[in-house]
Amino acid sequence: MKFYNTLSKKEEEFKPIDKNEVRMYSCGPTVYNYAHIGNLRTYIFMDILAKTIRKNGYNLKHVMNITDVGHLVSDADDGEDKMQKASEREKKSPYEIADFYAKAFFKDIEKLNIRKPDIIAKATEHIPEMIEYVQQIVNNGYAYETSSGLYFDISKLPSYGILSGKNLAGEKAGARITVDEEKKNPFDFALWKKAPENHIMQWDSPWGRCYPGWHIECSAMSKKYLGEQFDIHTGGVDHIPIHHENEIAQSIGNNGKIPANYWMHGEFLLVDNGKMSKSLGNVYTISELEERGFDALDYRYFCLNSNYRNTLNFTFVGLIGAKKGLERLRNLVKVHSTSNEDVSDKEIEDYRKSFLDAMSNDLDSPKALSIIWEIARKQNKSKKYADLIGEMDEIMGLDISIDKILERENKEEDKLEQSLDIEIKQLISEREIARQNKEWEKADKIREQLEQKGIRLKDTKEGIKIEKILE
Ligand code: AMP
Ligand code: ZN
């Protein structure tokens, strides 16, 4: 496998620390609101990475955090805690907020066929580990206290900025971040914040009643579950200049090491070529896409058509294209699945290899999809092709294996049946009775009535199938 490493700024051959087990940490969501489709693009990237690693024969230990305290409105320690703000907005405790939105997040990722990481670690459940971690940074002389908290002293770390290539000498205080007179350097960041009285989440610590800075949870929890050094660290590109830079600084302050060997970042999703923003009303969630008639996997397919390292522009026209493409792909797989024509094992093996090569080449999902399409479009039809695509779907997660396709069809039918109103249900059963009594004319008339109401009935070997007639 070859991955682009933000740390070395080049593509590198992947060599895990241990021969068989890969250890990976992914920065997870701040659970103060529903995840938007931009956030979810980053987790789709994380998912195909995890699955590609596993498909290459490695065991993977995958940890993801849930930020339920300490992420301030600005990534650079300014403003209110996002959880506190949400708690005031919704008049619920921050724990209720975290619980509600974490559940919503896990529902979303399930719909997107994103496998839940093996270990999910909540910040609020790791306060003692964080205190211990920070204490070590203090003992090693990398921190100082002010009236607002405990800060990391970046002057002690000449390599600060190693990930983003940030030139601190060239940055002026106050240009991007507000000046705190007590801080020695404007880029010094909070390890531990002293809690104002009204701050709901606060804990006793050697530095008073406090709450953790945003970055410390990832350092403390990755160390706890994966050790001081592990293989891969993932997140979105916005994490490079602050959050991940600071995680590296904390680790060096704590134990002298850069925590991960490979740092991988998913590029941003734009909407209509711009940033998503509440004021523009273009911050979409998965439920909103569903309300507009899309399936979560239409969005996954939309994302996989582009490389994770490119910005991707979301439009509904693009999503409609993805929906149609995915439908077509499933239909082609269905046709293959009913044919017993033989194809050579070599051909299958060659496709299998070129698919995994594409994904192992820095997750080239567009190329991997083009291989799937090539197989789907084969003029000679064979169940072997359908099975091969099903195997590839273990990484792609698009429900294009024959089992998943049939399962989806059944579910859709059940859903349709449940949504039918009483009048239609009655007509369907009247027609059934007419058929049993061999009153064919009556049965046909009812069928026509139903078609006028947008419902088509198909008599199949397995019984009657109900379909909605699309305009
Ligand atoms: P948050 O819940 O704000 O901590 O963000 C969760 C994840 O979503 C982080 O890894 C971010 O880097 C990522 N993210 C935020 N906005 C976008 C976006 N527009 N496109 C892709 N990823 C994003
Ligand atoms: Zn993190």
Side-chain angles (χ1 to χ4, degrees):
M1 287 182 287
K2 261 194 309 187
F3 298 131
Y4 180 82
N5 187 351
T6 310
L7 188 60
S8 65
K9 292 164 197 63
K10 53 178 195 263
E11 239 177 48
E12 286 179 42
E13 187 66 37
F14 177 69
K15 291 197 192 89
I17 297 168
D18 291 340
K19 236 179 37 218
N20 294 317
E21 192 183 67
V22 174
R23 300 194 296 276
M24 175 158 109
Y25 185 90
S26 296
C27 285
T30 307
V31 283
Y32 68 109
N33 212 332
Y34 293 105
H36 59 59
I37 55 175
N39 303 136
L40 293 165
R41 182 187 185 204
T42 294
Y43 300 110
I44 292 172
F45 143 65
M46 166 195 93
D47 186 55
I48 56 171
L49 172 61
K51 287 173 176 163
T52 300
I53 291 169
R54 289 196 163 106
K55 199 71 173 170
N56 273 282
Y58 294 102
N59 290 321
L60 177 70
K61 186 172 182 190
H62 188 191
V63 179
M64 185 177 80
N65 68 304
I66 296 280
T67 301
D68 55 358
V69 67
H71 192 172
L72 304 191
V73 170
S74 144
D75 284 357
D77 299 336
D78 291 327
E80 264 181 287
D81 186 321
K82 290 183 180 185
M83 296 303 300
Q84 169 107 6
K85 215 173 150 190
S87 138
E88 284 158 14
R89 179 185 73 216
E90 298 189 18
K91 310 213 168 357
K92 286 184 194 153
S93 84
Y95 292 98
E96 285 170 318
I97 297 279
D99 194 49
F100 179 84
Y101 288 114
K103 280 197 179 114
F105 174 77
F106 288 117
K107 247 190 234 154
D108 282 344
I109 66 167
E110 193 184 337
K111 285 180 185 166
L112 285 162
N113 277 345
I114 295 171
R115 174 177 162 160
K116 207 171 171 178
D118 309 295
I119 295 172
I120 303 291
K122 272 191 187 165
T124 52
E125 289 170 3
H126 294 79
I127 300 293
E129 287 89 343
M130 289 192 241
I131 291 177
E132 198 188 311
Y133 197 99
V134 171
Q135 185 64 63
Q136 193 58 46
I137 296 177
V138 173
N139 295 348
N140 292 345
Y142 284 91
Y144 62 92
E145 201 172 337
T146 74
S147 61
S148 68
L150 196 67
Y151 284 84
F152 190 94
D153 185 350
I154 64 160
S155 68
K156 299 276 163 58
L157 197 73
S159 66
Y160 187 77
I162 189 172
L163 190 65
S164 55
K166 195 154 64 174
N167 177 4
L168 292 182
E171 301 254 8
K172 277 236 172 334
R176 285 194 304 115
I177 49 178
T178 44
V179 188
D180 174 346
E181 294 293 339
E182 288 182 79
K183 283 208 292 195
K184 293 190 194 167
N185 184 304
F187 290 100
D188 289 349
F189 58 90
L191 296 164
W192 220 239
K193 291 281 264 186
K194 295 193 178 162
E197 223 161 86
N198 68 350
H199 202 272
I200 307 169
M201 289 173 141
Q202 45 175 292
W203 293 266
D204 280 328
S205 81
W207 313 281
R209 296 286 292 174
C210 289
Y211 63 95
W214 174 34
H215 324 293
I216 203 69
E217 63 179 89
C218 291
S219 290
M221 298 193 292
S222 63
K223 181 178 172 182
K224 172 171 179 178
Y225 295 107
L226 299 174
E228 284 177 357
Q229 277 188 306
F230 49 94
D231 297 296
I232 305 177
H233 197 311
T234 76
V237 284
D238 58 327
H239 284 166
I240 300 171
I242 299 177
H243 184 52
H244 288 172
E245 203 72 86
N246 293 349
E247 270 187 51
I248 291 177
Q250 289 170 160
S251 274
I252 296 176
N254 176 278
N255 57 65
K257 299 183 191 96
I258 294 180
N261 289 338
Y262 302 83
W263 293 76
M264 294 177 68
H265 295 95
E267 251 299 346
F268 258 39
L269 179 85
L270 303 179
V271 174
D272 298 323
N273 274 315
K275 231 186 132 161
M276 262 180 275
S277 86
K278 284 236 168 71
S279 58
L280 292 172
N282 62 7
V283 187
Y284 302 114
T285 61
I286 287 295
S287 316
E288 279 161 356
L289 298 189
E290 285 174 338
E291 278 161 25
R292 290 170 185 240
F294 296 98
D295 184 89
L297 296 187
D298 299 336
Y299 178 64
R300 181 171 172 118
Y301 181 66
F302 173 82
C303 290
L304 295 186
N305 270 296
S306 161
N307 189 276
Y308 79 98
R309 286 188 54 223
N310 296 334
T311 46
L312 172 60
N313 184 37
F314 176 85
T315 61
F316 278 101
V317 173
L319 190 61
I320 289 170
K323 185 181 182 60
K324 285 188 179 155
L326 192 50
E327 240 170 56
R328 207 165 144 243
L329 193 52
R330 290 186 183 133
N331 284 334
L332 290 170
V333 173
K334 252 171 82 178
V335 175
H336 279 300
S337 74
T338 55
S339 167
N340 285 324
E341 217 179 294
D342 200 24
V343 289
S344 77
D345 289 345
K346 175 163 185 328
E347 186 188 355
I348 296 291
E349 194 44 48
D350 286 351
Y351 275 130
R352 183 180 282 133
K353 183 172 180 315
S354 49
F355 170 83
L356 191 58
D357 282 352
M359 289 309 288
S360 304
N361 181 18
D362 204 21
L363 309 177
D364 192 347
S365 56
K367 169 111 186 270
L369 281 177
S370 75
I371 294 167
I372 291 180
W373 271 104
E374 191 182 315
I375 302 167
R377 284 206 191 96
K378 285 267 172 190
Q379 286 305 316
N380 54 326
K381 307 293 172 204
S382 170
K383 185 171 179 300
K384 279 193 178 174
Y385 290 138
D387 290 345
L388 180 63
I389 291 176
E391 216 180 275
M392 294 169 175
D393 201 38
E394 287 165 21
I395 295 182
M396 302 320 259
L398 296 169
D399 284 3
I400 49 176
S401 68
I402 190 65
D403 290 351
K404 287 285 178 192
I405 294 171
L406 297 179
E407 197 182 298
R408 289 181 79 84
E409 280 182 359
N410 286 339
K411 256 195 218 149
E412 259 155 47
E413 229 170 81
D414 288 351
K415 240 191 349 209
L416 179 63
E417 242 181 281
Q418 279 163 15
S419 71
L420 295 177
D421 54 46
I422 294 182
E423 189 198 357
I424 289 187
K425 279 184 186 158
Q426 202 153 357
L427 282 171
I428 294 172
S429 64
E430 276 174 26
R431 177 178 171 273
E432 199 40 34
I433 294 168
R435 268 163 46 90
Q436 277 163 15
N437 297 338
K438 302 199 173 8
E439 298 171 90
W440 307 120
E441 222 170 284
K442 187 175 176 191
D444 282 349
K445 245 199 196 128
I446 299 176
R447 181 204 285 264
E448 275 164 35
Q449 266 177 294
L450 281 165
E451 290 201 0
Q452 277 161 14
K453 290 179 191 296
I455 297 295
R456 180 173 294 138
L457 299 183
K458 276 191 179 164
D459 301 311
T460 69
K461 271 187 279 177
E462 296 88 42
I464 303 168
K465 285 210 178 250
I466 305 163
E467 277 176 8
K468 211 170 204 161
I469 301 168
L470 298 170
E471 282 98 49

